[in-house]
Amino acid sequence: MCGIVGYVGQKQTMEVLLGGLKRQEYRGYDSAGVAVITDGGSLESAKKSGKLQVLVDHLTAHPLTAGHTGIGHTRWATHGAPVDVNAHPHLADGGKLAMIHNGIIENFAEIKQEMLEAGHEFLSETDTEVGAVLLGHLVAQTGDFRTAFAQAVNRFEGAFTVLAIHQDSPDLILAARHNSPLVIGFGDGENFLGSDVAAFVEYTHHAAAVGQDQMVAITPEGVTVTDFAGKAVEVERFEIEWDASASDKGGWPSFMAKEITENPDAVANTVRGRVTETAVDIPELATLGADTIKNTQRIILIACGTASYAGQVAAYAIEQWARIPVEVQLSHEFRYRDPVITPQTLVVSISQSGETMDTLMAVRYAMEKGAKTVSICNTQGATIPRESDAIVYTHAGPEVAVASTKAFVAQITALYLLGLQFAQVRGTLSEKEIARNISELQSLPGKIEQVLLVGPEIRQLAKWMTESPAVLFLGRHVGFPIALEGALKLKELAYIHAEGFAAGELKHGPIALIDHGQPVFVVVPSPRGSAEIHSKVVSNIQEIRARGARVIAIAEQGDVAVLPYADEVIRIPLADPFFEPILAVVPLQIFAMELADAKGLDVDQPRNLAKSVTVE
Ligand code: AGP
């Protein structure tokens, strides 16, 4: 939600602002705007509801005066409809000050009343404008932009990342963050700010994450960071691992199409550097310590959406390998159920963005209750990993499409590595068993490449289903979360009602949904795993086929038991049953994308969705 970019330096700021907003489009938004301190010393701004291109077209027709200091924003509406007047930046102090904001200023009503009584007027319905007007009011009172900014951010409550510029301080951008992301890009004679590093990766790989309740002042000469009381603090610098081209489409029709083909690399890069032939060693887990691993009595995986399904898949393997009870909790449910947490409880958060507010709040809750926490995350320097006791980064590269694909398979991979390392430290798997599972992990990229070849077959299938009012997905054991993920992909991409069920649940109600021609995907477990589970799923297929369902089975090569009952069979290569989900999900990702494409929908930025849900 919301993309922020700030630039001060020698370049034409407009080039940096629009490029930075473009690279952050995937964060989800419904309006965009920029503000510049011109070389003539005045502040100019422009903002438009709709896609970024609407603003670009407006600026082409009505360019702002050149300037080298500026801020830009893409807004995902919280307070106030997505219309021009509610877009950011918001101006104050007689148009000399501009502010942009990501989050929610929860005490905006109280501040607004105070400002109205002080004689100020408002143009928009937003909480952000209230913040800008307060800042302008304080500038007028104190006569100093920096002092006023510090006073303003100390008044705000809720979640906010704010950037502000003032025409009387032409080479300065002030910023602050509380419960919302902000990163710094360090240049030579120029400096950058962004919601994530995509804002400035084109210009610098030297970055740092701004911590909770910290303020930043950037000028062309340098960056200073303090706490909200003005005391200098050190920031954690890091090097961005990927370059701008990684966040380009690279000739693909969509980011989603590109990222599905990057599934193999996402697995390979997440494994790389963490295994030998017979042992797992995740360097980042060292901060957890062997004693914590040995003394862990319960693991709770917390996440939302697709990330939670990755947790559901991995829970089976981790529990079996490490002999520790593992449960999966939705982040937004976890802290309201008063869970039993002891120092021997390990809470593992799973988050591609590392900024999902529901998951961040759940991690903080778990730590307050005394749990150790590990973050599985795909975004360097994000808030959740920075606040956790240990981090296992996935190395899927930037995932730009809102619907998660390669990050999902990377999350399962990282969780499997964690499970194997726990089993290794606790001695619950032999070296031979560890080696076998490492070999399975290392064989996955090649097997996923084979699955990607079914794309054309699935495209035809999707064309047949564009009019389907609903699609059902069945799975059992590790295939059940894949059924859930397949349904979610279809919902969020093709806007078709879809539901995933545990196959065993069918006769307990859902079979009533089966009517003639009802499309049902069935994730068929390997007969080499549990013959019993396999035969039960084949029976389920018979039951729904007998009632008219159109069955699309995802089954391993050589599984002939499904042939008499399935209308279509999508084949996946043989793999250990715990590893088959990473193969079975790929046809479902492709199917959702192809069906959305066949319906003429935007597969990269589906309606109403944001890549990073930074509000609760
Ligand atoms: C997945 O396709 C969705 N975009 C959504 O469910 C996502 O997985 C969820 O919001 C969690 O996001 P995170 O991994 O960044 O925390």
Side-chain angles (χ1 to χ4, degrees):
M1 278 151 174
C2 299
I4 276 179
V5 56
Y7 175 76
V8 59
Q10 288 80 30
K11 293 181 181 62
Q12 283 302 326
T13 190
M14 192 56 72
E15 159 207 334
V16 180
L17 299 183
L18 295 178
L21 292 180
K22 183 74 184 157
R23 282 193 200 292
Q24 294 182 100
E25 277 194 294
Y26 69 95
R27 297 178 61 83
Y29 72 100
D30 39 48
S31 56
V34 290
V36 174
I37 307 283
T38 70
D39 293 341
S42 63
L43 186 144
E44 296 183 13
S45 71
K47 54 187 185 178
K48 285 288 178 189
S49 61
K51 288 298 184 191
L52 182 59
Q53 192 57 47
V54 175
L55 176 67
V56 169
D57 293 345
H58 171 79
L59 289 167
T60 303
H62 310 283
L64 300 187
T65 309
H68 298 84
T69 300
I71 54 180
H73 185 267
T74 48
R75 174 180 183 248
W76 192 85
T78 52
H79 291 75
V83 294
D84 291 3
V85 74
N86 288 336
H88 303 195
H90 287 282
L91 307 186
D93 196 14
K96 294 189 287 184
L97 173 151
M99 190 172 100
I100 58 178
H101 164 227
N102 177 8
I104 295 175
I105 298 174
E106 290 176 351
N107 58 332
F108 80 96
E110 163 206 328
I111 297 172
K112 184 165 186 172
Q113 187 52 40
E114 202 180 301
M115 292 298 104
L116 287 168
E117 286 164 10
H120 294 285
E121 293 178 357
F122 291 87
L123 302 175
S124 79
E125 310 157 72
T126 66
D127 55 331
T128 307
E129 187 186 13
V130 171
V133 169
L134 171 67
L135 178 54
H137 178 79
L138 293 169
V139 169
Q141 260 189 356
T142 62
D144 180 79
F145 181 36
R146 290 176 187 251
T147 306
F149 185 81
Q151 288 181 5
V153 295
N154 278 289
R155 281 291 308 275
F156 297 154
E157 293 170 10
F160 52 88
T161 293
V162 292
L163 269 61
I165 54 177
H166 196 292
Q167 70 180 32
D168 296 345
S169 305
D171 290 328
L172 173 66
I173 301 178
L174 297 179
R177 65 145 302 195
H178 173 80
N179 283 342
S180 196
L182 180 65
V183 287
I184 303 167
F186 299 93
D188 181 7
E190 59 184 11
N191 289 295
F192 307 79
L193 291 167
S195 296
D196 66 46
V197 295
F200 47 72
V201 68
E202 186 175 352
Y203 304 106
T204 180
H205 282 198
H206 311 306
V210 178
Q212 179 75 324
D213 296 342
Q214 290 181 355
M215 287 191 295
V216 186
I218 69 167
T219 66
E221 296 72 36
V223 175
T224 55
V225 186
T226 68
D227 62 19
F228 277 13
K231 183 169 169 289
V233 295
E234 282 302 312
V235 283
E236 193 184 308
R237 291 196 178 212
F238 61 88
E239 291 302 306
I240 302 168
E241 288 177 341
W242 47 275
D243 62 27
S245 62
S247 62
D248 287 335
K249 276 187 202 172
W252 289 92
S254 65
F255 281 110
M256 183 152 192
K258 170 174 177 270
E259 289 157 9
I260 288 173
T261 66
E262 291 171 344
N263 275 318
D265 285 347
V267 171
N269 293 338
T270 299
V271 173
R272 185 168 296 117
R274 292 166 162 169
V275 297
T276 64
E277 271 188 37
T278 56
V280 175
D281 177 18
I282 305 171
E284 305 102 309
L285 274 188
T287 55
L288 208 53
D291 287 347
T292 300
I293 293 176
K294 285 180 182 147
N295 298 331
T296 297
Q297 292 173 2
R298 182 166 165 240
I299 294 176
I300 304 175
L301 304 177
I302 56 173
C304 299
T306 287
S308 74
Y309 302 144
Q312 288 192 39
V313 169
Y316 291 92
I318 298 172
E319 184 154 337
Q320 187 173 118
W321 291 340
R323 303 318 297 159
I324 302 173
V326 180
E327 67 181 275
V328 182
Q329 288 291 333
L330 291 170
S331 305
H332 40 79
E333 291 289 327
F334 172 67
R335 61 195 173 109
Y336 298 112
R337 59 189 292 266
D338 191 14
V340 172
I341 293 176
T342 70
Q344 289 72 42
T345 304
L346 182 71
V347 173
V348 180
S349 66
I350 311 161
S351 177
Q352 189 287 130
S353 64
E355 299 296 350
T356 296
M357 189 57 71
D358 291 316
T359 303
L360 172 61
M361 291 303 174
V363 168
R364 287 180 178 167
Y365 175 86
M367 295 181 89
E368 283 161 17
K369 296 289 183 183
K372 290 281 187 209
T373 58
V374 175
S375 162
I376 308 287
C377 185
N378 194 50
T379 308
Q380 282 172 287
T383 305
I384 295 172
R386 279 189 302 105
E387 296 196 12
S388 299
D389 293 311
I391 309 168
V392 180
Y393 278 118
T394 52
H395 296 295
E399 187 177 70
V400 178
V402 168
S404 185
T405 52
K406 61 177 183 174
F408 174 73
V409 298
Q411 286 162 352
I412 298 172
T413 302
L415 287 163
Y416 278 7
L417 288 167
L418 179 138
L420 289 171
Q421 181 151 345
F422 270 60
Q424 193 172 274
V425 171
R426 297 164 63 97
T428 49
L429 282 183
S430 67
E431 185 179 89
K432 186 164 175 289
E433 288 165 320
I434 299 270
R436 188 178 62 76
N437 285 300
I438 290 170
S439 170
E440 282 285 338
L441 276 174
Q442 291 176 321
S443 71
L444 279 177
K447 292 177 179 177
I448 299 172
E449 293 289 0
Q450 290 178 51
V451 180
L452 289 170
L453 299 175
V454 302
E457 175 190 347
I458 294 176
R459 189 170 304 118
Q460 287 314 313
L461 194 58
K463 288 199 170 100
W464 170 78
M465 287 197 204
T466 49
E467 301 309 316
S468 302
V471 180
L472 307 182
F473 296 78
L474 298 187
R476 199 184 269 257
H477 195 255
V478 287
F480 169 37
I482 299 303
L484 297 174
E485 170 59 7
L488 175 61
K489 282 284 141 324
L490 202 57
K491 279 182 270 197
E492 61 178 338
L493 286 165
Y495 313 155
I496 286 180
H497 180 68
E499 198 158 348
F501 299 105
E505 270 300 280
L506 207 55
K507 293 191 281 293
H508 300 283
I511 200 166
L513 288 171
I514 303 300
D515 197 350
H516 183 69
Q518 170 62 55
V520 182
F521 281 87
V522 182
V523 181
V524 182
S526 166
R528 297 170 300 110
S530 157
E532 184 186 359
I533 294 180
H534 177 260
S535 64
K536 287 183 188 302
V537 171
V538 173
S539 301
N540 294 142
I541 293 175
Q542 289 174 285
E543 288 154 8
I544 57 177
R545 195 73 186 312
R547 289 163 176 79
R550 180 181 173 85
V551 175
I552 306 99
I554 296 175
E556 71 177 31
Q557 283 154 1
D559 181 352
V560 295
V562 297
L563 288 177
Y565 313 111
D567 295 279
E568 318 270 346
V569 179
I570 297 168
R571 292 291 180 187
I572 57 175
L574 297 184
D576 174 283
F578 278 151
F579 296 85
E580 279 201 342
I582 291 178
L583 304 177
V585 73
V586 175
L588 300 182
Q589 293 172 346
I590 297 170
F591 174 74
M593 176 185 70
E594 292 294 354
L595 188 49
D597 196 43
K599 294 180 71 175
L601 300 172
D602 181 345
V603 296
D604 285 338
Q605 294 172 31
R607 68 185 179 197
N608 307 339
L609 291 180
K611 183 63 180 173
S612 176
V613 182
T614 54
V615 292
E616 285 186 287

